[in-house]
Amino acid sequence: MGIPSELRDAWVNKRHSYTSMTAASPNEERIIHSNNSIRESVPEGFKAAAIYGVVAAVPTVIACRVIPWAKVNLNHTAQALIISTASIAGFFIATDQYILENARGNTIGKHGKSM
């Protein structure tokens, strides 16, 4: 299934020939920088998710073994939800912070351009 390689290569070459005829946008450099910052933020988010997951997992598991209320009321599904919620929140918080830091660097002031 899929596109045969000869057809795909012809399509890609035809597409590149059209892009060479168009004029570059003045905002193209900023768009490339913003796409790169988004692409670079994903590994940062995964690192933070792993850290937040471990930080949330240790006290959750210990509490479920030591505290009587948690032992009775928090089954394995509840523990997994607590840990995954912390991991997901850590991912989105770290990714958002990284994107915002790079967005501040990609502002008009950095490029010295005025509108």
Side-chain angles (χ1 to χ4, degrees):
M1 294 268 169
I3 301 173
S5 61
E6 299 87 22
L7 182 62
R8 183 189 66 227
D9 293 339
W11 181 73
V12 168
N13 290 334
K14 185 177 180 182
R15 188 170 148 203
H16 286 300
S17 68
Y18 287 139
T19 57
S20 64
M21 294 174 26
T22 60
S25 169
N27 294 328
E28 190 170 346
E29 184 179 335
R30 291 195 316 188
I31 293 169
I32 290 171
H33 284 303
S34 69
N35 287 340
N36 287 340
S37 70
I38 292 169
R39 204 171 290 119
E40 293 169 359
S41 69
V42 172
E44 295 294 324
F46 282 130
K47 290 177 194 174
I51 292 169
Y52 281 110
V54 170
V55 168
V58 172
T60 302
V61 172
I62 290 173
C64 288
R65 297 189 188 269
V66 174
I67 300 172
W69 178 89
K71 197 183 290 188
V72 172
N73 292 316
L74 296 177
N75 58 11
H76 295 292
T77 305
Q79 294 173 34
L81 284 172
I82 292 169
I83 295 167
S84 64
T85 302
S87 297
I88 292 168
F91 174 82
F92 283 113
I93 290 169
T95 304
D96 190 43
Q97 285 178 347
Y98 190 83
I99 291 172
L100 288 175
E101 286 173 7
N102 286 331
R104 286 186 200 107
N106 292 332
T107 58
I108 294 172
K110 176 183 175 187
H111 298 291
K113 298 178 183 175
S114 61
M115 294 185 118

